[in-house]
């Protein structure tokens, strides 16, 4: 059975990548609809060699038997329109943070907790980009060794802040002032992603902590995070320090990662082989390297984890969820 699919926020950074990934993975689509704000209404986008007109998103947009809608148009748009779409029988896969922590909404990474998709009541949330790549690497290790504590330190690309972030770096490299970020991002590192909250953490850091717990189904996991925007156009890098309950053999741990779904181990320091943002861009896998024992604790490991934040961190993950939904509809 072919399905009717809509992309909301089609003109954005993630929206455009939705189209690319949907083409590559060849989803069985009957009717295809593109929505964005009034600003883009009437503009044209090409999908599988055919031209489509972008429509303004309105309350009536879902009155035509749309089976699945991929949303990436900001939290406000999702808060308002995802329930409208769901009430018309559409399943929304939402890339914003609006619904992620709602107990009624599953938060899904297909390699990690695909079973949660079944619990949806019309909205499924796509996790934060930094969380997705982390849990793909951590889930198999949690299964074997039981994670006790995680320390996340991120090096995040400007594409994660949408078109505005990309333009700030491009213009900043020419000496022009930033518009999206509070400081220049060219030749700089900003320890500030999303807004600050009362306890001194940014929302991005809190998202990584809470979403990891929800996806791994372990509300007691001890986690701390520092998230940093770096002058890289695309692909997020993360240093992940993990402490386990159980002892491990390093060789065995590496083998577990090598066999893990969606993971590619790149770890040959003698030949300067380790995951790099520049190499991850355009790929849907999560790359893991610099795998070494944390000798300061009884059972701990350090990992360097890199992935394309627009693909696996957003569009590709959402399309993988859509594929599982479609499989269930057959
Ligand atoms: P538009 O291009 O018409 O502004 P990015 O994060 O890369 O900036 O992309 C944001 C996406 O969300 C764009 O496709 C943008 O459309 C869309 N968008 C923003 N606000 C709205 C809105 N109120 N209704 C529908 N789409 C929106």
């Amino acid at each position: 059975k072919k399905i009717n699919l809509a992309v909301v926020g089609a003109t954005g950074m993630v929206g455009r990548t939705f189209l690319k990934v949907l083409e590559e993975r060849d989803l069985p689509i009957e009717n295809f609809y593109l929505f964005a704000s009034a600003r883009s209404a009437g503009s044209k986008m090409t999908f599988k060699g055919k031209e489509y007109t972008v429509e303004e998103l309105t309350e009536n947009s879902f009155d035509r038997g749309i089976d699945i809608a991929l949303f990436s148009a900001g939290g406000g748009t999702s808060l308002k329109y995802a329930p409208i779409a769901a009430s018309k029988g559409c399943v929304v896969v939402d890339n914003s943070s609006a619904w992620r922590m709602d107990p009624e909404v599953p938060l899904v990474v297909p390699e990690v907790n695909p079973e949660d998709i079944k619990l949806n009541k019309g909205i499924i949330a796509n996790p934060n980009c930094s969380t997705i790549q982390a849990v793909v690497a951590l889930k198999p290790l949690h299964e074997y060794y039981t994670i006790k504590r995680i320390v996340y330190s991120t090096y995040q690309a400007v594409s994660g802040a949408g078109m505005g972030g990309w333009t700030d770096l491009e213009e900043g490299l020419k000496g022009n002032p930033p518009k999206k970020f509070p400081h220049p991002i060219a030749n700089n590192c900003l320890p500030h992603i999303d807004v600050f909250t009362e306890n001194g953490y940014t929302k991005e850091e809190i998202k990584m902590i809470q979403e990891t717990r929800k996806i791994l189904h372990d509300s007691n996991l001890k986690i701390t995070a520092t998230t940093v925007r770096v002058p890289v156009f695309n692909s997020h890098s993360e240093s992940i320090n993990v402490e386990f309950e159980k002892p491990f053999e390093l060789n065995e741990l590496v083998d577990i990662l090598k066999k893990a779904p969606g993971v590619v181990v790149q770890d040959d320091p003698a030949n300067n082989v380790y995951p790099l943002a520049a190499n991850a861009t355009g790929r849907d896998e999560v790359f893991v390297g610099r795998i070494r024992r944390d000798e300061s604790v009884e059972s701990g490991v350090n990992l360097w984890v890199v992935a394309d934040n627009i693909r696996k961190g957003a569009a590709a993950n959402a399309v993988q969820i859509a594929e599982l939904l479609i499989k269930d509809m057959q």
Side-chain angles (χ1 to χ4, degrees):
K1 183 186 160 246
K2 287 193 166 189
I3 59 130
N4 299 332
L5 190 139
V7 173
V8 177
T11 51
M13 199 94 208
V14 174
R16 290 169 191 279
T17 311
F18 276 143
L19 270 66
K20 224 187 287 173
V21 178
L22 287 165
E23 269 182 351
E24 288 168 7
R25 299 178 78 111
D26 200 22
L27 269 73
I29 297 169
E30 178 85 57
N31 296 302
F32 188 57
Y33 304 99
L34 300 176
F35 299 107
S37 78
R39 290 181 292 273
S40 311
S43 63
K44 311 273 186 205
M45 292 179 81
T46 306
F47 179 68
K48 287 191 170 178
K50 215 175 131 191
E51 211 170 60
Y52 290 84
T53 305
V54 178
E55 299 175 54
E56 178 185 357
L57 180 69
T58 70
E59 293 184 15
N60 303 320
S61 296
F62 302 94
D63 292 347
R64 44 187 139 170
I66 296 174
D67 300 297
I68 297 176
L70 307 179
F71 273 59
S72 191
T77 304
S78 294
L79 265 185
K80 177 168 178 199
Y81 290 97
I84 295 175
S87 76
K88 309 264 163 86
C90 173
V91 182
V92 172
V93 183
D94 181 35
N95 191 51
S96 82
S97 61
W99 296 98
R100 289 181 192 148
M101 294 314 297
D102 187 313
E104 304 272 284
V105 174
L107 183 64
V108 177
V109 179
E111 292 88 343
V112 178
N113 60 334
E115 69 281 2
D116 289 350
I117 289 177
K118 288 193 296 289
L119 307 173
N120 89 78
K121 296 175 179 164
I123 305 175
I124 298 169
N126 211 38
N128 174 268
C129 42
S130 300
T131 311
I132 292 177
Q133 67 186 71
V135 295
V136 168
L138 292 177
K139 165 71 187 297
L141 302 181
H142 189 41
E143 253 171 29
Y144 277 84
Y145 308 122
T146 313
I147 293 172
K148 194 196 249 176
R149 178 167 182 258
I150 303 168
V151 181
Y152 288 133
S153 310
T154 71
Y155 305 69
Q156 297 183 222
V158 295
S159 59
M163 297 287 198
W166 190 285
T167 308
D168 263 17
L169 178 53
E170 216 165 45
E171 291 299 315
L173 291 170
K174 298 179 202 155
N176 296 320
K179 288 194 180 132
K180 173 88 182 176
F181 300 124
H183 301 284
I185 184 64
N187 293 314
N188 217 354
C189 294
L190 310 181
H192 175 183
I193 302 182
D194 207 333
V195 297
F196 281 100
T197 68
E198 269 176 19
N199 64 358
Y201 282 73
T202 60
K203 261 197 184 162
E204 184 82 353
E205 289 157 353
I206 293 172
K207 283 180 219 166
M208 284 195 82
I209 294 168
Q210 294 182 334
E211 294 178 19
T212 299
R213 290 180 179 143
K214 179 165 175 174
I215 297 163
L216 295 180
H217 301 149
D218 192 340
S219 52
N220 295 320
L221 268 185
K222 286 185 187 159
I223 310 174
T224 189
T226 303
T227 59
V228 180
R229 189 76 69 191
V230 297
V232 167
F233 280 106
N234 197 56
S235 288
H236 290 351
S237 306
E238 301 178 346
S239 155
I240 307 182
N241 175 261
V242 198
E243 203 179 336
F244 301 112
E245 298 282 355
K246 299 177 190 163
F248 68 92
E249 290 292 335
L250 193 59
N251 288 344
E252 186 194 56
L253 182 146
V254 172
D255 277 342
I256 290 166
L257 284 170
K258 281 182 178 162
K259 288 182 193 132
V263 171
V264 176
V265 171
Q266 292 181 326
D267 198 10
D268 182 10
N271 289 305
N272 299 341
V273 173
Y274 29 74
L276 292 172
N279 296 342
T281 287
R283 303 278 299 265
D284 290 342
E285 303 96 328
V286 172
F287 300 89
V288 184
R290 300 295 323 279
I291 306 167
R292 63 210 191 276
R293 192 174 282 279
D294 172 357
E295 291 171 344
S296 71
V297 293
E298 207 160 297
S299 181
V301 74
N302 284 306
L303 310 171
W304 181 248
V305 177
V306 180
D308 185 326
N309 56 300
I310 298 294
R311 291 186 69 109
K312 184 54 189 166
N317 197 74
V319 171
Q320 283 175 287
I321 294 173
E323 284 175 337
L324 294 176
L325 283 169
I326 292 169
K327 216 160 132 196
D328 227 35
M329 289 173 184
Q330 304 302 317

